[in-house]
Amino acid sequence: MKVVIILPTYNEKDNIERLIPILEQDIFPKIKNHDMSILVADDNSPDGTGTVVKRFMKKWDNIALSSGEKQGLGAALVRGMTYAMKNLNADILFGMDADFFHDPKKIPIFLEKIEQGHDMAIGTRYSNGGSIPANWGLHRKVFSIVGNLLVRTILMRFRIHDWTGGFRAIKKEVFLKERNEMISFKGYTFQVAFLHKAVRDGFRVAEVPFAAHDRTLGRSKIAPLEYITNLLKYVITARFHEVLHSSFLKYAITGLVGYAINAITLEVLFKNGMHPSAAGAIGGELAIIWNFSMNNFWSFKKHRITKPLKFLLKFPQFNLVALGSLVMISAVLGIGTHYYGESSRQILLIFAIIFFVIPYSYTMYNVFIWKRWRVSFLAKLQEKVG
Ligand code: GDD
Ligand code: MN
């Protein structure tokens, strides 16, 4: 595959002077199964980084330079990745800091992860032997560790340990999918936003532990206060948006309205002379029809069943799941009223719904009815059965 190492630079003359020969002479010759090249995404650095790159371009023909105006790290990366894809035919876009924060010796491990079928390989400082620079001051260490923990917790995604880093091998398909959404992230928040969108869209991400090293030449360009503000703004709004558009919220609203349909039907039919058990059952079935349709066309829209025959076949299955809920409610009411008396019936109903019906039915819908969740043991069973 064609791999392009993208080095964003702003005033990194001394670092780039050391890094490019190391990549060309020590790292690339060890990588036999890929076509390696370098793209420097420089923002017309006043220190003359671009001139150094142009000098190297005469020596090695696998080096390119994309110059532009300084808008921030994210903007430089979007420009560089686009250039690598369009002008260099890159299959893998490999982002890396130019200041030796990222250990170039780790590059082959990232590529192995891609060969194994991952869509992205990201460097991690926070798990399995990765580390942050030992010479960082205490406040910088705390800042970095707490920042990443905060991102993981707010986004509720714990499998990935390092959200903010820029040591990443990305298949071009991932970038193509997310590119349009990424244009607005011009600064350092790009890293978190890009990874979050990739994970959201189901791309497979592998982590590669590495020991980060503080730069010895030049200065960091990060503005900590601005960075942390933008970062928090992003993760909080992203999380809020996720909850607001989550299947679970829609499922809950559907269920609440379904409950109202059940209760109102019971009242109306009962007042018109019907026996409560018949009135309740009719109301229950109307609620089931409502729940099934709304969940199919709204809550689980992405996985909706559209073929009429399949829809008709799913409906009895859905009723069967509902029967399970019914059994749970009547068991809780039976046992509960035995201990706490009949006056506790409404509280017991709410208890049954929250602790039994919701976890049970939401799981059943996701696993069996709309099949959003791939349960690994079930998948293995299916493979065995054929
Ligand atoms: N072209 C361009 N334009 N490059 C930039 C810009 C910019 O506006 N800002 C920074 N860079 C380049 C730097 O020249 C360097 O090669 C790399 O991006 C990382 O920038 P540093 O200034 O060294 O950032 P840092 O070491 O403080 O930040 C590290 O931690 C962040 C948070 O974990 C980096 O690893 C970041 O990638 C990471 O997001
Ligand atoms: Mn740095």
Side-chain angles (χ1 to χ4, degrees):
M1 277 187 278
K2 173 98 190 223
V3 181
V4 177
I5 307 279
I6 299 168
L7 305 170
T9 54
Y10 192 73
N11 289 343
E12 302 288 4
K13 177 172 161 281
D14 297 336
N15 280 312
I16 213 80
E17 199 132 40
R18 281 176 62 208
L19 181 59
I20 288 182
I22 288 179
L23 289 171
E24 293 285 358
Q25 291 163 353
D26 303 339
I27 309 295
F28 291 176
K30 294 202 181 95
I31 303 170
K32 308 276 184 223
N33 44 347
H34 296 288
D35 177 3
M36 305 297 295
S37 37
I38 297 171
L39 172 69
V40 180
D42 182 59
D43 291 356
N44 298 324
S45 302
D47 75 345
T49 303
T51 318
V52 176
V53 176
K54 280 180 193 147
R55 209 179 69 220
F56 282 132
M57 284 164 76
K58 290 192 189 124
K59 186 163 180 195
W60 288 290
D61 60 7
N62 61 346
I63 302 176
L65 173 66
S66 153
S67 304
E69 246 171 65
K70 180 162 165 59
Q71 291 181 296
L73 177 59
L77 284 170
V78 170
R79 192 183 75 227
M81 289 183 184
T82 309
Y83 185 99
M85 245 173 27
K86 288 201 176 138
N87 303 4
L88 308 173
N89 270 320
D91 301 302
I92 297 173
L93 310 162
F94 202 130
M96 188 176 150
D97 294 354
D99 62 352
F100 290 92
F101 191 67
H102 300 141
D103 180 359
K105 285 198 283 299
K106 295 279 175 187
I107 292 173
I109 304 173
F110 286 72
L111 299 177
E112 276 165 30
K113 297 282 180 196
I114 302 278
E115 286 160 31
Q116 287 162 9
H118 294 98
D119 301 303
M120 246 177 115
I122 63 170
T124 174
R125 295 163 283 179
Y126 305 106
S127 70
N128 301 328
S131 59
I132 52 177
N135 63 332
W136 265 4
L138 184 67
H139 70 282
R140 178 114 203 232
K141 282 181 181 162
V142 172
F143 201 64
S144 176
I145 294 168
V146 172
N148 265 285
L149 255 174
L150 222 58
V151 173
R152 289 168 75 197
T153 322
I154 297 174
L155 292 180
M156 291 283 278
R157 295 187 190 266
F158 296 98
R159 207 181 56 77
I160 290 172
H161 298 81
D162 194 335
W163 283 85
T164 52
F167 202 8
R168 298 175 171 180
I170 302 163
K171 273 184 144 175
K172 72 157 188 265
E173 288 78 10
V174 186
F175 180 64
L176 271 172
K177 174 103 180 36
E178 313 303 353
R179 200 190 108 92
N180 287 343
E181 279 188 83
M182 294 317 300
I183 311 264
S184 53
F185 295 95
K186 303 214 183 293
Y188 283 79
T189 315
F190 172 89
Q191 309 289 15
V192 173
F194 186 85
L195 184 55
H196 178 234
K197 289 171 200 304
V199 171
R200 171 201 68 191
D201 291 338
F203 288 113
R204 285 154 299 179
V205 179
E207 287 194 311
V208 178
F210 76 98
H213 290 288
D214 205 6
R215 59 162 78 232
T216 53
L217 302 164
R219 288 214 325 261
S220 166
K221 281 93 210 168
I222 209 160
L225 214 63
E226 186 192 324
Y227 176 49
I228 199 82
T229 316
N230 286 336
L231 191 69
L232 281 177
K233 228 196 279 171
Y234 174 76
V235 288
I236 291 169
T237 28
R239 184 78 199 119
F240 191 69
H241 194 267
E242 270 183 0
V243 171
L244 216 62
H245 290 85
S246 69
S247 293
F248 184 77
L249 188 73
K250 293 173 183 168
Y251 150 91
I253 294 169
T254 301
L256 210 67
V257 176
Y259 168 79
I261 291 175
N262 197 339
I264 292 167
T265 314
L266 167 68
E267 277 312 293
V268 171
L269 294 182
F270 174 73
K271 293 241 167 79
N272 284 289
M274 194 181 274
H275 191 274
S277 72
I282 292 173
E285 194 53 40
L286 284 180
I288 288 175
I289 294 170
W290 159 266
N291 282 343
F292 183 55
S293 319
M294 282 306 283
N295 281 327
N296 189 51
F297 294 110
W298 189 45
S299 324
F300 302 108
K301 193 166 71 189
K302 271 195 200 140
H303 300 256
R304 69 167 165 257
I305 303 144
T306 44
K307 292 200 184 96
L309 188 69
K310 207 170 168 206
F311 190 82
L312 284 178
L313 284 172
K314 274 283 167 180
F315 187 60
Q317 289 179 37
F318 189 84
N319 272 270
L320 210 66
V321 173
L323 194 65
S325 299
L326 228 62
V327 171
M328 288 174 186
I329 291 175
S330 90
V332 169
L333 279 171
I335 298 166
T337 49
H338 177 79
Y339 286 104
Y340 304 107
E342 287 181 340
S343 59
S344 60
R345 64 188 183 281
Q346 290 298 339
I347 295 286
L348 286 166
L349 178 64
I350 292 170
F351 177 85
I353 289 174
I354 292 177
F355 290 99
F356 290 95
V357 174
I358 290 177
Y360 157 78
S361 66
Y362 193 67
T363 308
M364 295 301 270
Y365 295 171
N366 277 294
V367 176
F368 293 110
I369 306 287
W370 285 282
K371 300 193 164 65
R372 275 170 81 222
W373 297 348
R374 239 180 83 92
V375 180
S376 57
F377 81 87
L378 278 175
K380 274 181 200 142
L381 205 74
Q382 271 176 347
E383 268 164 32
K384 270 185 195 152
V385 176

